[in-house]
Amino acid sequence: MESTARAPRADNRLPQLLDCAARLFGERGFHGTTIRDIVRGVDMLPGSLYYHFAAKEQLLAAVYAEGVARITERVQAAIARRSDPWQRLTAACIAHLEALLDEGDYAQVVIRVRPGDVPEAAAQLTGLRDRYESLFVELIDALPLRPNVDRRTLRLMLLGALNWSQTWYRRGRDDPRVIARHFVALLRRPTESPAE
Amino acid sequence: MESTARAPRADNRLPQLLDCAARLFGERGFHGTTIRDIVRGVDMLPGSLYYHFAAKEQLLAAVYAEGVARITERVQAAIARRSDPWQRLTAACIAHLEALLDEGDYAQVVIRVRPGDVPEAAAQLTGLRDRYESLFVELIDALPLRPNVDRRTLRLMLLGALNWSQTWYRRGRDDPRVIARHFVALLRRPTESPAE
DNA sequence: GCGTAAAACAAACGGTTGTTTGGTATAGGA
DNA sequence: TCCTATACCAAACAACCGTTTGTTTTACGC
């Protein structure tokens, strides 16, 4: 049984197609983005997209998967250099935010698009996101915390705050590194002023 | 100059229309919801909606405004009974979460729909949301905090974590009151175990 | 009860949606 | 150089979108 498949051609525009889709899905969401919007950015005709993907949902799934891969890579690279648990968590949050706010169109899709928006691929998307977030489960498990602190709640609070920053973040005014450090610090140390 | 307007009729279905729109906008977002989806829920024809609203965007704006009004009312009622700053903040978070997760279809719209999704009404929606969040500005201003704590970051972190809970919350498994209390506690007290 | 305005119906409108179908140019291995 | 699978084009498809227009029913103030 020999494979009849051939190598992909060098002039195919699939990469640019994915880039453009990532940018638009991230900016306008899934339902707010049109096939025609996407292909216009790469001078392609609408029908040509269906040579690469069988449906709009599968294009989204591909972008989403790439987004998870990229942000995972960034975070892992960031935490690899450190050993102190709190520094590792901080580095992970910085990488997460940088991918989410400044760089990565792909990463923005992962946060912006809800799996429920794409019923046909919802399970796949949820699985990808869960696997990424399990990175933070480990990071938080490694923290030396007071015994009564619920680590799950801590994770959900931190990730929620980070992800929501997509809503209010403005380039120039805010700095991802500063935000991430502040968030971690707010959790780590008491905010309440000492009793008099 | 006498008004030629007459009182609204008792059998008009505008309230149910708004209820249905709130439910669907909250579940599927603005672009994921169709005029026909909305009117189907109240046994109305698509065109009839345009007796009440000139455009889909204005229907969303009405639902959004009502959502802000309802959640504001709830939060204000919750904090009116308390005087301790931390208790007031906790009560506000509980009310916010209850409106967001269990009750209020209207409140869900406020959190789910991004003003950017509706360019024609974006400024109005942003204004409404900002005015609501100013409630939390005051609540956090009243907290006795260590001098080096940035109150804006604290607010953004708390509200972000609360709002994002819409993503992972599951009825029955989680409890809005418990979540809110945990979040506030995580900010208030140190999570780090004391140095040995 | 009558007149009037409120609140809807009935039926379409032009445009857009995701998608399909059949044909075509061309890069790249043989 | 020829051949084939790749990667697209060209043109349409039916379904659906938000919206408009003209008409009809009906609650309510007088």
Side-chain angles (χ1 to χ4, degrees):
Chain A
M1 171 139 50
E2 54 189 325
S3 168
T4 56
R6 197 187 279 188
R9 270 160 56 170
D11 66 335
N12 93 79
R13 279 173 280 174
L14 176 58
Q16 303 133 70
L17 190 72
L18 286 167
D19 285 350
C20 190
R23 199 186 68 244
L24 291 173
F25 283 146
E27 283 175 4
R28 313 180 188 173
F30 180 72
H31 290 299
T33 303
T34 288
I35 295 284
R36 285 174 174 81
D37 290 340
I38 296 170
V39 296
R40 190 175 303 127
V42 289
D43 277 318
M44 208 184 248
L45 293 181
S48 304
L49 185 142
Y50 290 83
Y51 172 74
H52 299 284
F53 301 97
K56 187 189 177 191
E57 281 84 4
Q58 298 193 20
L59 167 59
L60 186 273
V63 171
Y64 197 100
E66 178 64 24
V68 170
R70 293 197 185 188
I71 196 170
T72 300
E73 199 175 10
R74 273 188 80 106
V75 169
Q76 274 176 334
I79 63 179
R81 299 180 238 128
R82 331 236 166 211
S83 59
D84 174 74
W86 283 103
Q87 283 197 2
R88 280 166 61 86
L89 180 63
T90 304
C93 291
I94 290 176
H96 181 89
L97 266 198
E98 284 181 339
L100 198 70
L101 301 177
D102 273 345
E103 199 209 332
D105 292 330
Y106 287 87
Q108 296 194 27
V109 178
V110 180
I111 303 307
R112 160 113 203 214
V113 177
R114 302 193 180 204
D117 290 345
V118 197
E120 297 87 344
Q124 181 193 351
L125 304 193
T126 304
L128 285 166
R129 190 186 280 192
D130 285 351
R131 201 149 55 80
Y132 167 68
E133 290 190 359
S134 74
L135 266 175
F136 282 82
V137 172
E138 293 173 23
L139 286 170
I140 289 175
D141 272 346
L143 294 176
L145 299 180
R146 290 170 178 266
N148 60 331
V149 173
D150 180 12
R151 292 172 194 265
R152 176 174 173 268
T153 305
L154 177 62
R155 183 185 87 246
L156 292 170
M157 174 161 198
L158 181 57
L159 277 175
L162 290 172
N163 291 341
W164 192 261
S165 69
Q166 216 183 38
T167 322
W168 51 263
Y169 174 80
R170 278 222 321 262
R171 240 175 166 112
R173 185 189 62 177
D174 307 307
D175 178 4
R177 303 167 73 59
V178 173
I179 297 169
R181 270 194 266 264
H182 275 177
F183 281 0
V184 174
L186 284 172
L187 290 172
R188 185 175 183 179
R189 298 190 231 283
T191 59
E192 188 176 19
S193 63
E196 300 166 11
Chain B
M1 173 143 43
E2 53 188 326
S3 168
T4 56
R6 196 188 280 189
R9 270 161 56 170
D11 67 333
N12 92 79
R13 278 173 281 173
L14 176 58
Q16 303 133 72
L17 189 73
L18 286 167
D19 285 350
C20 191
R23 187 169 42 84
L24 292 173
F25 282 145
E27 283 176 4
R28 312 180 189 174
F30 180 71
H31 291 298
T33 304
T34 287
I35 295 284
R36 287 176 172 80
D37 289 338
I38 296 170
V39 297
R40 190 177 302 127
V42 290
D43 277 317
M44 207 184 248
L45 293 181
S48 305
L49 185 143
Y50 290 84
Y51 173 74
H52 298 283
F53 300 98
K56 188 189 177 190
E57 282 84 4
Q58 299 193 17
L59 167 59
L60 187 272
V63 170
Y64 197 100
E66 177 65 23
V68 170
R70 292 196 185 188
I71 196 170
T72 300
E73 199 176 10
R74 272 188 81 106
V75 169
Q76 274 176 333
I79 63 179
R81 296 180 239 126
R82 330 238 167 210
S83 59
D84 174 74
W86 284 102
Q87 283 197 3
R88 281 166 62 85
L89 180 64
T90 304
C93 290
I94 290 176
H96 181 89
L97 266 198
E98 284 180 340
L100 198 70
L101 302 177
D102 272 344
E103 198 209 332
D105 292 330
Y106 287 87
Q108 295 194 26
V109 177
V110 180
I111 303 306
R112 160 113 203 215
V113 177
R114 301 191 181 205
D117 290 344
V118 197
E120 298 88 342
Q124 181 193 351
L125 304 193
T126 303
L128 285 166
R129 191 186 279 193
D130 285 350
R131 199 149 56 80
Y132 168 68
E133 290 191 0
S134 73
L135 267 174
F136 282 82
V137 172
E138 293 174 23
L139 286 169
I140 288 175
D141 272 346
L143 293 177
L145 298 180
R146 291 170 178 266
N148 60 332
V149 173
D150 180 12
R151 292 173 193 265
R152 176 174 173 268
T153 305
L154 177 62
R155 184 185 86 244
L156 292 171
M157 175 161 197
L158 181 57
L159 276 175
L162 290 173
N163 292 341
W164 192 260
S165 69
Q166 216 182 38
T167 318
W168 51 264
Y169 174 79
R170 277 223 322 262
R171 238 176 167 110
R173 185 189 63 176
D174 306 308
D175 178 5
R177 308 173 120 284
V178 173
I179 297 169
R181 271 194 264 265
H182 275 177
F183 280 0
V184 174
L186 284 173
L187 290 173
R188 184 175 183 179
R189 299 190 232 283
T191 60
E192 188 176 20
S193 63
E196 300 168 11

